[in-house]
């Protein structure tokens, strides 16, 4: 009888156990979502890298003419990026720091920078005023942003990296509407350049003014952007972005830069300066296939870039200087070339026409959180290129593992053909943490 | 006699067709509106936990805060894990953006992409009212359930067709099949665990998802603290995205 009673209870017992097990497995603890006025989080990164050197390349000769580093170079990079904030009423203080520690052929080096640090005052959801150091990141392009007038140039090889900002006072005024114009926002910026304040931006010359007007008009993002001041020449631009279908997006940017000064050097080492108005633009698309392959394709016209002839002259000067150094020990030509490299010939993508293609496949062969990609950048003027396969795995909570290689190719005196390395392999391990949660967890453990 | 009345007979047929079709569509639309209303207040905030389960039992969890206003405005902010913390996604009609704090600017994304991996995609996370995106093509009564056949209003909608089974008395979805234009099944959503969230909000607190395209994998969404709240329209703009955290109440 007792057994019979128990058997009759069995279905209920199974139901109870299974529902209880379910509740245990998928619990949602409300304390997980409690908001605190302060936050401290970030990531720590280890990034060893191996470079295969091209000893015949011009930029190898320019960098290593007094050294012999063999065929390969090893580098060890590590990074700690911290983000902290404190919120009280309508005010919020935000700080992002970046600390790099690396070991290269030059030995150990470390640097800590304040990437961003600003006070945000938000009297209403329509208005925010920011004072301090911050990034603006204007533009819609993925690899390049010709309209990012107030930002440091990003690296198309790793466009998602955080950048160091500049000190400014800015505001965001937002207004929403119903109808074809859904959003309007205005961002005026006061941009000082003084000794020790943004002095790496341009000429030290007091206040500059910049601004952005944004519209969401007929489901298209449109920005009108401008910069006027004495620290850099006046420049104006526009960008747009729009989804054509649920898996297809197009975007573009256009920038007009007034009175750009360009310094070129000929193969004899004579420096020429020219002034002209430059037009830079970018057109791109993002396309997702049914099999979860994403294509990002961009064409970039760099209006301030060097011509094929100017780059050939620069590389010829280096080769001539190197031969002269080997023959006589005189490095004056190489010193001249070094003088026009930094921020000029040596900047990222210094020529005129580029094509960028990134193909990434989400979770192939049912491997969850695994994304292999291949990134190609081609210099259309000299047909040189860089190809970089990348494997990203994010399956372990808070740990990001990325293995990336890159190979460059091109004829003599081309941009990628004269890079100091033929290939590069790097492994990046990045661990994200929430310091406040970790502290609370440790305190609880200690109390137990 | 019959010959004489032929035009009248045709006219009657045409009138019956013209007037019956819209009135049927109205019923279906009304039913879908009621289902939407039972799932969410017009403007609300909530917290959600997303769990991706792998066949070997491994799981990955995400916690997010969501705010919605009206038919087509929604924003979600990731709170957990630390690798995703601070990311926000915004939906304004069929426009979607993703903001990653490290990248520092919102980028347009497509509704079919997934910002978190797993079976849920962006439009599942930023789900608008069904009535805002779908037309009711057919309603069938099947015992205690309605079966609604829905068709996307625009090409930008993530799934071309939906088949929704809804509880007749409570007017909640029980199961939704998401299909392509060629009627290929992409995923199935199961609505479970009806819960009283207070303030008159009683609705399923768990949505489970599986997909024939990812056999053995499952994604689960658990809802908490759903409450009515009115937001300013300006909150649902690209410019506001870096400030979504300020919407959360301490």
């Amino acid at each position: 009888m007792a057994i019979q009673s128990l058997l009759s209870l069995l279905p209920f017992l199974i139901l109870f156990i299974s529902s209880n097990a379910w509740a245990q497995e998928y619990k949602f603890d409300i304390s997980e979502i409690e908001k605190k006025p302060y936050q401290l989080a970030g990531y720590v990164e280890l990034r060893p890298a191996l470079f295969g050197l091209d000893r015949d390349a011009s930029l190898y000769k320019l960098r290593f003419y007094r050294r012999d580093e063999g065929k390969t170079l090893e580098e060890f990079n590590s990074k700690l990026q911290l983000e902290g904030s404190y919120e009280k009423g309508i005010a919020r203080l935000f700080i992002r720091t970046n600390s790099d520690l690396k070991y290269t052929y030059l030995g150990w080096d470390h640097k800590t920078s304040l990437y961003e640090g600003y006070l945000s005052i938000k009297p209403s959801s329509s208005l925010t005023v920011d004072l301090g150091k911050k990034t603006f990141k204007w533009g819609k392009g993925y690899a390049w942003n010709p309209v990012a007038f107030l930002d440091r140039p990003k690296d198309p090889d790793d466009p998602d990296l955080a950048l160091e900002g500049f000190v400014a006072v800015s505001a965001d005024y937002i207004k929403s509407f119903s109808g074809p114009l859904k959003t309007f926002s205005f961002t005026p910026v006061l941009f000082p350049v003084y000794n020790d304040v943004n002095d790496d931006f341009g000429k030290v010359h007091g206040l500059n003014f910049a601004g952005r007007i944004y519209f969401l008009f007929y489901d298209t993002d449109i920005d009108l952007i401008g910069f006027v001041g004495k620290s850099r020449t006046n420049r104006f631009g526009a960008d747009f972005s729009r989804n054509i279908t649920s898996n297809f997006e197009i975007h573009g940017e256009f920038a007009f830069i007034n009175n750009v000064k360009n310094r070129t050097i000929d193969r004899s080492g004579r420096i020429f300066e020219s002034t002209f108005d430059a037009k830079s633009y970018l057109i791109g698309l993002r396309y997702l296939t049914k099999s979860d392959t994403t294509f990002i394709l961009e064409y970039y016209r760099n209006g301030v870039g060097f011509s094929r002839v100017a780059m050939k002259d620069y590389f010829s000067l280096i080769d001539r200087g190197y031969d002269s150094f080997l023959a006589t020990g005189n490095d004056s030509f190489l010193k001249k070339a070094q003088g026009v490299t930094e921020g000029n010939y040596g900047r990222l993508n210094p020529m005129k026409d580029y094509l960028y293609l990134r193909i990434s496949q989400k979770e192939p062969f049912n491997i969850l959180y695994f994304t292999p990609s291949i990134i190609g950048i081609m210099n259309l003027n000299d047909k040189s290129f860089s190809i970089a396969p990348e494997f990203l795995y994010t399956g372990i909570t808070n740990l990001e593992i990325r293995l990336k290689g890159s190979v460059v190719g091109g004829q003599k005196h081309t941009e990628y053909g004269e890079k100091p390395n033929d290939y590069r392999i790097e492994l990046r391990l990045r661990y994200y943490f929430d310091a406040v949660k970790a502290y609370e967890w440790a305190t609880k453990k200690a109390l137990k | 006699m019959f010959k004489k009345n032929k035009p009248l007979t045709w006219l009657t047929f045409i009138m019956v067709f013209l007037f019956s079709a819209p009135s049927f569509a109205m019923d279906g639309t009304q039913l879908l509106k009621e289902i939407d209303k039972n799932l969410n207040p017009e403007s609300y905030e909530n917290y959600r936990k997303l769990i991706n389960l792998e066949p070997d039992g491994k799981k990955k969890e995400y916690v997010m805060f969501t705010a919605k206003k009206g038919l087509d405005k929604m924003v979600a902010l990731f709170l957990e894990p630390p690798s995703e913390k601070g990311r926000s996604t915004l939906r304004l009609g069929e426009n979607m953006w993703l903001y990653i704090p490290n990248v520092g600017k919102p980028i347009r994304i497509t509704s079919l992409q997934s910002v978190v991996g797993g079976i849920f995609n962006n439009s599942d996370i930023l789900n608008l009212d069904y009535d805002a995106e779908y037309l009711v093509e057919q309603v069938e009564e099947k015992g205690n359930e309605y079966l609604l056949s829905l068709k996307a209003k625009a090409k930008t909608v993530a799934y071309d067709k939906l088949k929704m089974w809804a509880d007749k008395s409570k007017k909640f979805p029980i199961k939704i099949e998401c299909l392509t234009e060629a009627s290929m099944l992409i995923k199935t959503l199961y609505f479970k665990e009806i819960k009283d969230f207070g303030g008159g909000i009683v609705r399923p607190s768990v949505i489970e998802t599986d997909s024939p395209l990812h056999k053995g994998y499952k994604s689960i969404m658990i809802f908490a603290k759903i409450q009515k709240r009115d937001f300013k329209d300006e909150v649902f703009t690209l410019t506001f995205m870096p400030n979504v955290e300020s919407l959360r109440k301490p």
Side-chain angles (χ1 to χ4, degrees):
Chain A
M1 184 66 186
I3 292 169
Q4 236 176 2
S5 302
L6 272 176
L7 281 175
S8 65
L9 281 173
L10 197 60
F12 296 102
L13 201 64
I14 290 169
L15 193 69
F16 174 76
I17 290 167
S18 62
S19 68
N20 231 18
W22 191 94
Q24 256 186 343
E25 199 177 350
Y26 306 133
K27 66 173 184 182
F28 191 178
D29 186 356
I30 296 298
S31 69
E32 291 178 59
I33 52 180
E34 188 193 338
K35 184 178 176 177
K36 294 189 175 57
Y38 49 85
Q39 292 189 24
L40 184 63
Y43 66 80
V44 60
E45 178 184 293
L46 299 176
R47 188 167 52 87
L50 176 76
F51 296 85
L53 299 174
D54 178 1
R55 295 162 71 94
D56 295 324
S58 301
L59 294 178
Y60 174 89
K61 294 171 186 169
L62 188 65
R63 189 185 294 177
F64 298 111
Y65 68 93
R66 285 194 186 276
R67 312 174 65 98
D68 183 5
E69 293 297 334
K71 287 183 179 171
T72 57
L73 262 186
E74 293 91 39
E75 239 184 56
F76 180 79
N77 304 280
S78 61
K79 187 190 283 282
L80 172 68
Q81 203 165 102
L82 284 173
E83 276 179 33
S85 66
Y86 182 75
E87 199 176 322
K88 192 169 172 69
I90 60 166
R92 179 175 180 255
L93 183 70
F94 174 80
I95 286 174
R96 175 182 286 148
T97 62
N98 184 79
S99 301
D100 284 311
L101 173 68
K102 57 184 178 183
Y103 181 76
T104 66
Y105 67 96
L106 294 170
W108 286 98
D109 189 24
H110 68 90
K111 189 183 176 195
T112 295
S113 314
L114 178 70
Y115 268 22
E116 294 187 86
Y118 58 89
L119 180 69
S120 225
I121 312 279
K122 192 142 36 84
S124 77
S125 50
S126 298
L127 182 67
T128 311
V129 179
D130 294 332
L131 304 95
K133 190 173 184 180
K134 65 176 285 190
T135 53
F136 291 89
K137 300 281 185 80
W138 290 343
K140 303 292 182 209
Y142 181 72
W144 298 282
N145 293 114
V147 299
F149 298 146
L150 299 181
D151 284 305
R152 292 165 209 275
K154 62 183 181 186
D155 182 357
D157 194 41
D158 217 339
D160 291 341
L161 280 182
L163 298 174
E164 187 177 348
F166 286 108
V167 175
V169 179
S170 65
D172 280 317
Y173 173 74
I174 315 168
K175 187 83 192 136
S176 289
F177 305 94
S178 51
L181 175 64
K182 285 198 174 76
T183 311
F184 164 86
S185 77
F186 175 49
T187 308
V189 184
L190 289 177
F191 197 93
V193 179
Y194 295 107
N195 286 324
D196 301 324
V197 180
N198 300 337
D199 52 2
D200 54 344
F201 179 80
K203 279 186 213 159
V204 175
H205 212 295
L207 266 184
N208 299 276
F209 303 91
R212 179 180 71 157
I213 297 171
Y214 163 76
F215 308 94
L216 176 59
F217 187 57
Y218 280 106
D219 290 334
T220 307
D221 293 317
I222 301 165
D223 290 297
L224 302 175
I225 294 164
F227 172 93
V228 289
K230 297 272 173 64
S231 300
R232 283 185 185 175
T233 58
N234 296 347
R235 47 203 68 197
F236 304 93
D239 67 34
F240 79 95
S241 172
R242 182 186 169 84
N243 281 10
I244 305 295
T245 62
S246 64
N247 60 344
F248 184 39
E249 179 264 356
I250 56 166
H251 55 264
E253 294 184 25
F254 176 82
F256 174 81
I257 305 169
N258 198 223
N259 288 329
V260 184
K261 280 194 171 54
N262 216 4
R263 276 200 313 156
T264 51
I265 195 161
D266 72 4
R267 57 187 67 197
S268 312
R270 284 178 300 179
I271 293 175
F272 301 91
E273 280 204 0
S274 57
T275 304
F276 58 96
D277 294 339
K279 295 180 197 80
S280 293
Y281 50 88
L282 174 139
I283 186 89
L285 62 87
R286 184 186 293 250
Y287 179 70
L288 177 72
T289 67
K290 281 180 183 163
S291 54
D292 266 335
T293 310
T294 301
F295 291 84
I296 299 173
L297 178 66
E298 288 183 347
Y299 164 70
Y300 172 44
R301 168 72 177 181
N302 178 15
V304 298
F306 294 106
S307 67
R308 176 91 178 91
V309 174
M311 282 305 278
K312 266 187 172 175
D313 280 355
Y314 166 70
F315 290 132
S316 301
L317 171 73
I318 295 170
D319 287 350
R320 187 179 166 193
Y322 185 69
D323 291 342
S324 163
F325 171 75
L326 290 181
T328 65
N330 179 355
D331 65 355
S332 58
F333 281 125
L334 288 169
K335 290 269 189 236
K336 270 196 168 177
Q338 278 177 339
V340 290
T341 299
E342 181 73 30
N344 203 39
Y345 287 97
R347 66 182 184 241
L348 293 163
N349 304 121
M351 289 177 71
K352 283 188 181 298
D353 298 282
Y354 291 92
L355 205 60
Y356 176 93
L357 175 65
R358 181 188 178 97
I359 306 170
S360 55
Q361 176 62 51
K362 188 192 151 212
E363 297 164 358
F365 317 113
N366 259 343
I367 309 171
L368 211 58
Y369 310 112
F370 174 57
T371 309
S373 309
I374 187 152
I375 301 121
I377 302 174
M378 186 168 195
N379 181 324
L380 297 174
N381 303 119
D382 63 18
K383 309 288 184 290
S384 66
F385 60 87
S386 150
I387 295 174
E390 180 186 295
F391 304 94
L392 180 70
Y393 182 70
T394 56
I396 302 164
T397 302
N398 295 326
L399 181 66
E400 199 180 275
I401 304 168
R402 189 184 82 172
L403 179 65
K404 187 171 181 172
S406 75
V407 184
V408 294
Q411 300 288 315
K412 192 160 176 61
H413 292 172
T414 59
E415 180 187 347
Y416 288 101
E418 299 297 353
K419 291 275 183 202
N421 49 281
D422 278 334
Y423 65 87
R424 188 186 73 192
I425 303 165
E426 69 167 42
L427 175 69
R428 191 179 81 182
L429 303 171
R430 188 182 273 186
Y431 184 75
Y432 293 86
F433 58 88
D434 184 329
V436 175
K437 288 242 157 111
Y439 174 75
E440 284 173 353
W441 179 83
T443 314
K444 266 186 198 170
K445 279 267 172 196
L447 285 174
K448 273 181 190 173
Chain B
M1 183 73 178
F2 179 76
K3 208 173 183 178
K4 197 181 166 187
N5 283 338
K6 201 174 176 184
L8 189 67
T9 314
W10 276 110
L11 188 67
T12 311
F13 268 119
I14 290 165
M15 294 295 278
V16 166
F17 177 77
L18 281 177
F19 286 99
S20 65
S23 70
F24 171 73
M26 274 292 283
D27 289 342
T29 307
Q30 197 52 44
L31 175 61
L32 191 62
K33 279 186 176 164
E34 269 189 71
I35 290 170
D36 280 329
K37 202 176 140 199
N38 289 338
L39 278 178
N40 293 312
E42 194 171 302
S43 290
Y44 67 87
E45 65 173 30
N46 71 25
Y47 287 87
R48 287 186 277 178
K49 180 181 262 192
L50 226 81
I51 306 169
N52 284 336
L53 281 172
E54 294 177 45
D56 60 4
K58 273 201 287 184
K59 63 178 179 179
K60 210 170 174 192
E61 298 184 350
Y62 306 85
V63 177
M64 64 181 84
F65 166 78
T66 309
K68 181 178 171 278
K69 182 175 184 178
L71 290 175
D72 65 348
K73 298 181 186 75
M74 195 165 190
V75 68
L77 171 74
F78 284 83
L79 308 172
E80 288 279 339
S83 57
E84 315 295 322
K85 194 177 174 141
R87 282 182 183 225
S88 58
T89 46
L90 168 69
R91 183 167 187 183
L92 205 52
E94 287 316 313
N95 302 288
M96 281 190 200
W97 298 268
L98 167 67
Y99 174 80
I100 302 171
N102 221 29
V103 177
K105 68 173 177 184
I107 51 163
R108 257 183 192 262
I109 50 173
T110 60
S111 53
L112 281 173
Q113 266 177 290
S114 172
V115 286
V116 292
I119 302 165
F120 282 117
N121 64 28
N122 296 339
S123 71
D124 298 322
I125 293 166
L126 296 172
N127 56 314
L128 300 179
D129 285 3
Y130 291 103
D131 176 55
E133 295 192 295
Y134 292 93
L135 288 167
V136 182
E137 282 194 324
Q138 197 183 11
V139 180
E140 294 169 68
E141 292 193 31
K142 301 215 164 194
N144 293 328
E145 295 168 4
Y146 289 115
L147 171 57
L148 289 86
S149 300
L150 310 180
K151 172 85 181 151
K153 287 180 180 173
K155 281 211 162 205
T156 45
V157 176
Y159 311 113
D160 194 67
K161 294 178 195 172
L162 296 182
K163 275 181 135 185
M164 178 190 284
W165 283 262
D167 187 293
K168 236 181 191 176
S169 57
K170 296 187 182 106
K171 298 207 173 84
F172 291 137
I174 298 165
K175 183 173 100 170
I176 297 176
E177 286 182 355
C178 308
L179 308 155
T180 64
E181 200 170 1
S183 297
M184 190 181 91
L185 180 65
I186 302 173
K187 70 177 71 161
T188 310
L189 310 174
Y190 304 91
F191 293 72
K192 295 178 171 180
E193 304 285 316
I194 292 168
K195 187 178 163 185
D196 188 344
F197 289 92
I201 304 167
V202 182
R203 54 155 288 166
S205 63
V206 173
I207 302 175
E208 252 181 54
T209 306
D210 59 28
S211 165
L213 308 175
H214 299 87
K215 284 200 174 106
Y217 292 93
K218 202 193 262 187
S219 287
I220 292 132
M221 201 186 281
I222 310 170
F223 293 78
K225 283 180 98 171
I226 305 179
Q227 52 193 37
K228 289 178 191 169
R229 187 174 162 192
D230 200 24
F231 295 96
K232 295 262 185 204
D233 287 344
E234 284 71 25
V235 159
F236 304 93
T237 59
L238 181 139
T239 317
F240 193 84
M241 284 185 84
N243 300 312
V244 179
E245 171 73 26
S246 67
L247 299 177
R248 292 178 66 217
K249 289 176 182 165

